[in-house]
């Protein structure tokens, strides 16, 4: 299933926040992304309706299995690409911004090739 870049960003943000906090709420996502609460609310409804997240009575958001798979894929891409760009001499801020754009459009084949190449250079 094809998922939009914005949905991937929300799922990745939920994953990152879940590593930092015991519970993730819409307000945490709005604060992290500097988005309005209504925008995040609409996005959470769409993610819930598509089966990527669950929201309990207290408003705590958790990733479903499919949501977690997407979030972890995007996060891995972001982490590896930004680290790789920094190693190539790109400043940290630019590397993070570029990785954020690339992570959504790069093919699985190209990402795996970069991953192999980066692993060869670092001895992983």
């Amino acid at each position: 299933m094809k998922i939009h870049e914005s949905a991937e960003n929300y799922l990745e943000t939920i994953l990152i926040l879940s590593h930092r906090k015991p519970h993730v709420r819409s307000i945490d996502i709005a604060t992290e992304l500097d988005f309005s609460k209504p925008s995040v609310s609409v996005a959470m409804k769409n993610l819930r309706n598509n089966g990527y997240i669950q929201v309990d009575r207290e408003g705590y958001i958790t990733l479903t299995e499919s949501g977690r798979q997407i979030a972890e894929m995007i996060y891995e891409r972001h982490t590896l690409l930004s680290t790789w760009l920094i190693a190539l001499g790109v400043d940290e801020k630019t590397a993070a911004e570029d990785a954020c754009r690339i992570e959504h459009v790069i093919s699985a084949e190209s990402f795996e090739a970069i991953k192999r190449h980066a692993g060869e250079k670092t001895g992983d």
Side-chain angles (χ1 to χ4, degrees), residues 37-99:
K37 288 181 258 182
S39 294
V40 172
S41 180
V42 168
M44 293 306 103
K45 180 181 176 190
N46 290 334
L47 290 173
R48 188 177 67 244
N49 289 343
N50 287 306
Y52 297 119
I53 64 168
Q54 293 178 332
V55 183
D56 69 13
R57 279 197 219 146
E58 288 81 31
Y60 298 142
I61 299 165
T62 55
L63 296 166
T64 63
E65 184 57 34
S66 61
R68 179 169 295 285
Q69 286 175 358
I70 293 166
E72 288 176 349
M73 175 195 69
I74 295 299
Y75 185 68
E76 177 190 27
R77 288 178 175 196
H78 181 87
T79 303
L80 186 135
L81 290 167
S82 58
T83 301
W84 186 58
L85 290 168
I86 291 166
L88 292 173
V90 177
D91 76 85
E92 194 172 326
K93 183 177 185 296
T94 302
E97 290 170 356
D98 287 347

Side-chain angles (χ1 to χ4, degrees), residues 5 78 81 94-106:
E5 180 178 329
H78 181 87
L81 290 167
T94 302
E97 290 170 356
D98 287 347
C100 196
R101 286 190 290 276
I102 296 167
E103 69 196 24
H104 301 286
V105 297
I106 192 169

